[in-house]
Amino acid sequence: MGIRMLGLILLLRFVSGLMNATVDGIDSNLSSGGPLRSTVKEKENLLHNDEQYNDDLDGGFSSLDGMLQWAISHSDPAKLKETAEVRQQLSASELNKRQMELKELMEEMKVPSDAELMKIAISELNNSSITLEDRLRALQELNVLVEPIDNANDFNKLGGLVYVTRELYHPDPSIRTTAAWILGKVSQNNLVVQQQVLELGALSMLMKMVKSNFMEEANKALYAVSALMRNNLAGQELFSTEHGDLMLQNILRNSSIDIRLQKKALILLADLAQCQLQNAHRTELPFLSDRDLLKSVVDLIAASTDLDLQDKALVAIKSLLQLRTTEALVLKDFCALGDALNKMRQLLLNVMADEFQRDYVIDVESLRSEVEYIFQGKLLEQ
Ligand SMILES: *[C@@H]1O[C@H](CO)[C@@H](O)[C@H](O)[C@H]1NC(C)=O
Ligand SMILES: *[C@@H]1O[C@H](CO)[C@@H](O)[C@H](O)[C@H]1NC(C)=O
Ligand SMILES: *[C@@H]1O[C@H](CO)[C@@H](O)[C@H](O)[C@H]1NC(C)=O
Ligand SMILES: *[C@@H]1O[C@H](CO)[C@@H](O)[C@H](O)[C@H]1NC(C)=O
Ligand SMILES: CC(=O)N[C@H]1CO[C@H](CO)[C@@H](O)[C@@H]1O
């Protein structure tokens, strides 16, 4: 039984005077660690994918009051009306007594904190004799628990990074995949964590994993690489020495590869170029103006039939184009950017007829013509 359900049931029992039944039911399951595991399970159900999540629950209920509030806000209005009516029939002293009982019950339950749950999962990873299944479950729990930013910091303080990074070398791909996912999540916009993960040497392993034939592994590894690079100049230089440009090219040029991977690669490339533009004093990462890399992006604009992918390629080209070291003539002659942009305008005109995506198509066209404008300006400069 999950904490949410528990809250709701407690509230209903509380008003309808069935407290004893609840106590019996919960007692029998407390000893088996039921609520502890189900807290995590509940949160897991809220997760849809790595980019979006529901942060409805941020770490259990710290107080009885919080739990009641929560239960009320998540109840069905008809039931609430019914319980309010029952409530009025109870005398003040009865109500008081029920409240005391409920409070005792909550204390007895000892709902564990997220930090405690993380500590347990970490110590499980640290135990070489647990089963593969338990190891994966411990990682999956951590993956849910690190979601709130405060928890990501606690996770680091508890020493979790070392143990999770170690799992990147596990022979089982599901274990590696989940470990990469966690590292990506905790590194997101967190310079301290990024730095520590880089110091643990995780980047080169993650870059190897990007080449995996298991698509989930490749995707989560690239997600983690991107999270480590974001606004992190030291990380970006390391990426460059580890031949990150070749990794990106291999993804962008391979037409049989998972398209999600190509989109992630374009987003990463756009991020790197954008970061470069914002730190103009820094020596440019040389590969960002590499003609082969530029061509692989332009080719996607010209040849892809996926509008979202083309959109992301345009975003990347727009920033790459503005770098000092990028040569307009290379884009014109070697990459044929002009032709690609013309071809794309034609395609956009054709799909414009579709009512359902018209707004989106107009947005993409506006980006396309902006890129064309910047490109023409850059050609004139030379
Ligand atoms: C719970 O059970 C005890 C005895 O089994 C009884 O005295 C008490 O009144 C019950 N409490 C409620 C709230 O029903
Ligand atoms: C991991 O295990 C070692 C020895 O088995 C122990 O010294 C260390 O404290 C453990 N670390 C954690 C985080 O549980
Ligand atoms: C390690 O896991 C095994 C198997 O689950 C368990 O029996 C043992 O107590 C654990 N060791 C520690 C130090 O937690
Ligand atoms: C392209 O991607 C597919 C699917 O991941 C892979 O099997 C193949 O080896 C890749 N081709 C090249 C040239 O890397
Ligand atoms: C009251 C309650 O939630 N009981 C559950 C205890 O756990 C067993 C096994 O997980 C369930 O079958 C019960 O429903």
Side-chain angles (χ1 to χ4, degrees):
M1 180 167 34
I3 286 293
R4 284 152 161 271
M5 276 307 292
L6 208 57
L8 210 55
I9 288 167
L10 280 176
L11 185 70
L12 294 175
R13 296 269 194 256
F14 161 63
V15 287
S16 54
L18 291 171
M19 188 68 105
N20 279 356
T22 315
V23 172
D24 294 345
I26 291 163
D27 275 347
S28 65
N29 275 3
L30 247 192
S31 47
S32 67
L36 187 148
R37 290 304 181 202
S38 53
T39 312
V40 176
K41 264 275 167 294
E42 270 295 311
K43 291 181 179 178
E44 214 162 339
N45 291 338
L46 293 172
L47 289 177
H48 305 306
N49 60 39
D50 49 347
E51 274 94 16
Q52 95 193 64
Y53 64 91
N54 184 339
D55 56 3
D56 193 10
L57 285 182
D58 65 353
F61 296 97
S62 52
S63 69
L64 178 59
D65 216 42
M67 184 153 186
L68 286 176
Q69 288 297 340
W70 185 90
I72 288 167
S73 65
H74 286 72
S75 306
D76 143 12
K79 282 232 171 65
L80 268 186
K81 185 157 179 290
E82 194 182 303
T83 54
E85 279 161 10
V86 177
R87 207 174 195 158
Q88 278 170 3
Q89 290 161 17
L90 294 173
S91 71
S93 71
E94 268 175 314
L95 209 57
N96 233 328
K97 185 163 156 255
R98 293 260 185 277
Q99 244 157 7
M100 289 305 294
E101 281 170 341
L102 185 55
K103 197 166 174 173
E104 273 168 29
L105 177 62
M106 293 294 297
E107 273 158 16
E108 203 179 320
M109 278 171 53
K110 291 202 182 51
V111 178
S113 70
D114 285 0
E116 282 164 336
L117 291 172
M118 287 194 283
K119 222 182 275 179
I120 294 170
I122 292 167
S123 73
E124 283 173 339
L125 293 182
N126 190 24
N127 183 341
S128 59
S129 46
I130 62 167
T131 62
L132 181 69
E133 205 179 35
D134 283 345
R135 187 168 295 274
L136 184 58
R137 191 188 32 69
L139 283 167
Q140 286 167 339
E141 288 177 1
L142 281 174
N143 193 28
V144 177
L145 289 164
V146 298
E147 199 81 59
I149 181 92
D150 289 346
N151 284 1
N153 286 324
D154 284 349
F155 171 72
N156 182 17
K157 285 185 202 126
L158 291 170
L161 289 177
V162 175
Y163 297 97
V164 172
T165 301
R166 214 151 69 181
E167 301 300 325
L168 294 178
Y169 302 86
H170 198 281
D172 184 88
S174 318
I175 299 273
R176 295 194 302 265
T177 304
T178 315
W181 194 353
I182 296 172
L183 292 179
K185 256 186 212 175
V186 293
S187 303
Q188 207 92 57
N189 305 313
N190 192 326
L191 199 62
V192 175
V193 171
Q194 282 174 340
Q195 220 47 48
Q196 292 190 4
V197 175
L198 290 171
E199 276 162 25
L200 287 169
L203 183 64
S204 60
M205 186 57 195
L206 287 167
M207 287 172 70
K208 273 197 201 101
M209 287 165 63
V210 171
K211 294 183 204 143
S212 169
N213 285 324
F214 298 98
M215 272 306 118
E216 259 336 279
E217 178 174 16
N219 269 288
K220 292 300 182 269
L222 187 51
Y223 163 70
V225 170
S226 305
L228 284 171
M229 295 304 110
R230 194 152 307 144
N231 296 319
N232 188 317
L233 302 185
Q236 293 172 13
E237 261 143 46
L238 195 55
F239 180 72
S240 179
T241 19
E242 303 257 2
H243 306 292
D245 55 330
L246 295 182
M247 182 194 88
L248 291 172
Q249 275 186 56
N250 286 335
I251 296 171
L252 298 176
R253 283 185 174 165
N254 186 339
S255 56
S256 53
I257 215 163
D258 184 355
I259 197 164
R260 289 177 303 158
L261 213 54
Q262 291 193 318
K263 289 179 185 177
K264 283 196 177 75
L266 288 170
I267 294 172
L268 170 55
L269 191 52
D271 263 12
L272 293 173
Q274 194 58 39
C275 185
Q276 182 67 67
L277 289 172
Q278 284 161 0
N279 294 277
H281 58 279
R282 171 172 79 140
T283 320
E284 288 187 5
L285 293 173
F287 74 78
L288 289 176
S289 296
D290 178 84
R291 57 167 63 197
D292 293 315
L293 183 67
L294 291 171
K295 184 161 168 30
S296 63
V297 181
V298 174
D299 285 349
L300 286 178
I301 296 177
S304 173
T305 49
D306 183 299
L307 204 51
D308 184 43
L309 185 76
Q310 289 173 303
D311 183 12
K312 289 180 166 59
L314 278 173
V315 172
I317 274 295
K318 183 182 155 189
S319 296
L320 290 166
L321 188 53
Q322 295 175 69
L323 294 176
R324 254 181 298 124
T325 47
T326 300
E327 294 173 40
L329 283 176
V330 165
L331 281 168
K332 177 171 171 277
D333 299 330
F334 184 76
C335 307
L337 178 59
D339 293 345
L341 292 173
N342 281 335
K343 216 166 156 186
M344 189 160 182
R345 189 182 53 206
Q346 205 49 52
L347 177 99
L348 288 170
L349 282 174
N350 292 342
V351 291
M352 194 84 81
D354 179 356
E355 289 263 350
F356 294 105
Q357 41 175 1
R358 184 169 295 155
D359 287 352
Y360 177 55
V361 173
I362 288 172
D363 285 350
V364 179
E365 168 53 27
S366 128
L367 173 62
R368 191 208 62 83
S369 62
E370 193 184 351
V371 169
E372 192 159 47
Y373 179 79
I374 299 171
F375 177 44
Q376 295 304 338
K378 189 149 180 142
L379 276 174
L380 285 179
E381 276 171 25
Q382 295 201 331

